[in-house]
Amino acid sequence: MPTAITPSSSDPTLAAYRCPIGRLTLAARGGALVGLWVARQRFFGSPYGIDEASARSALDLTSPDSREAVLAEAGWDEADARALGTAVAWLDGYFAGEDASPTTIPLAPEGTDFQRHVWEAMDAIPYGATRTYGHLTATLRDAGVPASARAVGGAVARNPLLLIRPCHRVVASTGPGGYAGGATLKRWLLEREAATASSLS
């Protein structure tokens, strides 16, 4: 499971990363990643009050060749810069079709206790696999966490760490189900992971 760190109260440090699904915005605070959102995502910047307009000015860390220079010149807190650098290196691997483990990324997303339980349960869904909302609900109940499929769905939608905490792998029993990044993006991610997972095994 990714490392959990208690976030500080300061505004998050923002960075951008361009990839096949569009422009991602990353947020770090207190030496941990607290957010990762795709453009036009539902609940973008929540619960930190970050809007897409302010996120557009974030420094771009897409290029591995210039990344170290950008991080060195940014003037960011060293721990935040390290967290962002680790996260974008993970994204490099993910979009290269690797089953990259996010356990090296320090994570500290804000949420309720119940939301955190749901997000941690999503961590256990393997790359290239899916689990239903009902399965997650049963897993939480087995662990002593009172849950309903509706409540689980709400917590999944509020996941502030897109891709790293794989909410796209949570599906409805009758099909893909909803996704904060949109149904088209969810299908693309699931199909790509299924295809690359078979080549990794």
Side-chain angles (χ1 to χ4, degrees), residues 49 64 78 86 90 115 151 198:
E78 186 178 332
T86 302
W90 183 89
Q115 286 172 335
S198 61

Side-chain angles (χ1 to χ4, degrees), residues 180-197:
T184 301
L185 176 54
K186 183 171 188 171
R187 278 193 301 273
W188 187 89
L189 290 168
L190 292 175
E191 288 169 5
R192 187 174 184 279
E193 285 190 5
T196 55

Side-chain angles (χ1 to χ4, degrees), residues 48-103:
Y48 310 102
I50 300 164
D51 61 28
E52 292 200 51
S54 62
R56 283 190 206 105
S57 62
L59 291 177
D60 194 321
L61 297 181
T62 304
S63 171
D65 295 334
S66 63
R67 190 173 296 155
E68 290 302 319
V70 171
L71 286 168
E73 294 171 12
W76 292 334
D77 173 84
E78 186 178 332
D80 286 351
R82 193 166 39 252
L84 290 167
T86 302
V88 294
W90 183 89
L91 289 167
D92 289 342
Y94 179 83
F95 286 109
E98 299 171 13
D99 178 11
S101 170
T103 57

